[in-house]
Amino acid sequence: MKKADIGLIGLGVMGANLALNIAEKGFRVAVFNRTLARTQEFVAEAGPLASNIVACETLEALAGAIERPRPVILMVPAGRAVDEQIAALRPLLDRDDIIIDAGNANFRDTRRRMETLMGDGPRFLGIGVSGGEEGARHGPSIMIGGAQDAYRTVEPILNAIAARYGDEACAAWLGPDGAGHFVKTIHNGIEYADMQMIAEVYGVLRDGHGLAAGDIAPIFAKWNEGRLNSYLIEITAEVLAARDTSTGKPLVDVILDSAGQKGTGRWSAIEAQTLGIPATAIEAAVAARSLSAIKHEREIGEARFGVPAPAADPVDEQRLAILEQALLAGKVVAYAQGFAVMAGASREFGWNLPLGTIARIWRAGCIIRSQFLGEIAAAYDAAPETEDLLLTPAFAALMETTHPHLREVVAQSARAGIAVPALSSALAHFDTFRRARGTANLIQAQRDYFGAHGFERIDRAGTHHGEWVRDV
Ligand code: 6PG
């Protein structure tokens, strides 16, 4: 029997869909799952694609079923399970074979795993796969990191299964070691900020203007036809229009307002902090999820302090246009921050991350896919060395027209007692970014006063100390 082109371990939702995607593109895929029953069920449900699937009962059988050099995708939960699978596979594979971790791994784990495997092998790739269940099945965005020679071996398969934007595959090798997983982490950080800002605008409409979910849905649907056009805006309109079959109420109204998080958003904020690069909109989005989780405390808080009533004035077209522009401005800042973090990591780890290519492979397949990413790709193509997305001509012009609207929404929300933390952070970032003389001169003075930490002067070189008059 013809050997398989690739192996895949882990037939959970993502793994199963990825395996079907591979089989559908004409590659033979050998699959293994910890529980045999799941493997059998998967093959039984694969329909005509089963002819391209080799079900393996053991890891030994999987290793024996694949053409050399043998690429094996791991689609198991990030963390310990990945280390366990690597340990189990290592004795069965040769130096030239390739383990591909396609889960949402922390890039620091990926770096560690690569270092461990260095020398004796097998080779290792860490790839970020975005697009959820649908993406895995019909075309995700794929962010690849690791040895380029290993990538070349699986390039035809990864290109074939990736989403397409026009003729282009949304898959690319982005750099060595943990580059792929780092980029996926920042993708998710941006996803958090994007989702949070959308939720904040929903909050302004619901709590500030008293609109029902069914009235907000068409607003997002309309925005999806304009500059905000994106998968997240599109699904927001659909989510808001959906009804709960058991109560007949809008489904969002019966969902508990406590958000989950698996860790990638938090990692983005941590890595931004570690690199010393401000990613305040992402941080605000992560913190908002944590605040959402303390439901009990918030209930006591409302009983103690109350919440302002919605405004009496109806929301008109002009107000909606302002909200749309505010969301756009906030989004520009969040993406600029995410890309700045990637640029910082690229410098720190010597990855030479291709920022334009990253934007390009995010145009389709992934959760933050949008036409906006095409604009970011074009901005980086025109100015690859730019210090900041906010300084590129296209985005500077966009901020110029939209930031007054962001300011108005943030100011009005503050007055109305509606929290818009990600939008506020974005505005604060912009206002800080555009003021050449900030207030850190005072911070430096305080540090010198209490700790003799020294400061630089604006008129003289070197490190200086103040002659502070202190009480003794
Ligand atoms: C994607 C998603 C995907 C997943 C996250 C959700 O790009 O396909 O980001 O990775 O939905 O794990 O993360 P949270 O559970 O942290 O929201």
Side-chain angles (χ1 to χ4, degrees):
M1 194 170 58
K2 188 176 172 291
K3 291 222 168 186
D5 301 290
I6 195 163
L8 187 144
I9 296 175
L11 292 171
V13 177
M14 290 295 283
N17 280 298
L18 209 60
L20 292 175
N21 185 354
I22 295 170
E24 190 175 63
K25 299 301 177 313
F27 299 99
R28 276 177 78 72
V29 55
V31 298
F32 171 81
N33 195 68
R34 207 165 27 92
T35 52
L36 178 60
R38 173 68 196 127
T39 309
Q40 290 163 341
E41 178 193 41
F42 169 71
V43 178
E45 289 171 357
L49 293 178
S51 61
N52 269 344
I53 295 168
V54 185
C56 302
E57 295 190 9
T58 62
L59 281 180
E60 287 76 7
L62 180 100
I66 312 165
E67 189 72 56
R68 287 163 195 268
R70 296 168 288 187
V72 181
I73 296 178
L74 301 184
M75 240 333 176
V76 298
R80 224 179 52 200
V82 176
D83 287 314
E84 285 168 2
Q85 281 302 335
I86 293 172
L89 270 176
R90 210 172 169 187
L92 307 174
L93 296 180
D94 296 331
R95 195 194 186 107
D96 270 359
D97 294 329
I98 307 159
I99 297 179
I100 305 163
D101 178 11
N104 271 338
N106 185 313
F107 87 106
R108 293 187 183 275
D109 286 336
T110 305
R111 284 169 71 84
R112 169 179 58 75
R113 287 168 186 143
M114 272 176 195
E115 225 160 86
T116 311
L117 296 174
M118 199 90 78
D120 293 345
R123 295 178 287 171
F124 192 79
L125 290 174
I127 70 171
V129 177
S130 176
E133 200 177 325
E134 268 300 296
R137 178 66 185 85
H138 298 292
S141 169
I142 305 179
M143 297 144 248
I144 303 139
Q148 218 171 354
D149 62 311
Y151 161 64
R152 293 284 170 230
T153 308
V154 286
E155 188 181 2
I157 301 179
L158 296 181
N159 276 347
I161 63 170
R164 297 238 127 20
Y165 187 86
D167 290 340
E168 293 171 58
C170 291
W173 179 83
L174 302 174
D177 70 82
H181 277 144
F182 187 89
V183 170
K184 176 59 172 42
T185 295
I186 301 304
H187 165 283
N188 282 26
I190 294 173
E191 173 185 303
Y192 270 51
D194 213 336
M195 290 167 72
Q196 175 63 24
M197 287 178 181
I198 291 172
E200 289 174 11
V201 169
Y202 157 69
V204 168
L205 292 168
R206 185 191 69 180
D207 303 331
H209 295 282
L211 293 193
D215 299 325
I216 305 173
I219 296 172
F220 278 99
K222 184 161 172 245
W223 288 348
N224 194 42
E225 287 162 18
R227 196 81 188 260
L228 283 172
N229 173 270
S230 62
Y231 173 71
L232 282 173
I233 294 283
E234 178 191 330
I235 65 160
T236 301
E238 284 172 19
V239 161
L240 287 165
R243 295 217 157 253
D244 173 35
T245 45
S246 62
T247 60
K249 291 181 181 165
L251 189 49
V252 277
D253 290 349
V254 297
I255 295 178
L256 187 73
D257 55 325
S258 241
Q261 47 177 323
K262 293 204 196 81
T264 43
R266 191 183 311 130
W267 296 342
S268 295
I270 290 170
E271 294 307 335
Q273 289 280 1
T274 306
L275 290 162
I277 306 220
T280 50
I282 295 173
E283 288 167 12
V286 176
R289 286 206 192 182
S290 302
L291 262 170
S292 82
I294 52 166
K295 175 78 175 167
H296 176 63
E297 289 84 342
R298 289 189 289 113
E299 278 168 347
I300 299 171
E302 179 166 338
R304 173 65 183 82
F305 301 109
V307 284
D313 53 324
V315 59
D316 55 15
E317 286 303 317
Q318 196 196 349
R319 178 83 188 132
L320 289 179
I322 289 170
L323 273 171
E324 183 184 9
Q325 297 296 304
L327 192 46
L328 194 52
K331 188 168 162 149
V332 172
V333 174
Y335 279 66
Q337 290 182 340
F339 275 81
V341 175
M342 290 192 287
S346 186
R347 286 190 297 273
E348 175 75 16
F349 299 108
W351 287 337
N352 203 14
L353 287 179
L355 300 181
T357 301
I358 292 169
R360 215 167 285 115
I361 63 168
W362 286 353
R363 287 175 303 176
C366 68
I367 301 296
I368 61 171
R369 61 186 179 259
S370 65
Q371 65 168 44
F372 183 76
L373 279 157
E375 296 173 40
I376 295 182
Y380 277 115
D381 286 348
E385 302 302 329
T386 186
E387 287 87 359
D388 200 292
L389 194 63
L390 291 176
L391 295 176
T392 59
F395 285 96
L398 186 55
M399 279 311 289
E400 231 157 23
T401 57
T402 54
H403 83 83
H405 304 302
L406 177 59
R407 189 172 312 288
E408 185 164 345
V409 168
V410 169
Q412 279 201 10
S413 301
R415 276 196 294 271
I418 295 169
V420 286
L423 291 171
S424 309
S425 306
L427 180 64
H429 180 92
F430 175 73
D431 282 337
T432 309
F433 187 78
R434 67 159 176 180
R435 189 173 288 275
R437 175 123 175 109
T439 54
N441 50 323
L442 181 60
I443 307 288
Q444 285 298 76
Q446 290 164 333
R447 291 176 70 242
D448 191 57
Y449 186 103
F450 64 63
H453 294 293
F455 52 78
E456 289 176 292
R457 294 179 58 103
I458 56 171
D459 55 357
R460 241 175 280 162
T463 301
H464 302 268
H465 291 283
E467 289 166 23
W468 310 109
V469 180
R470 276 175 265 192
D471 290 339
V472 275

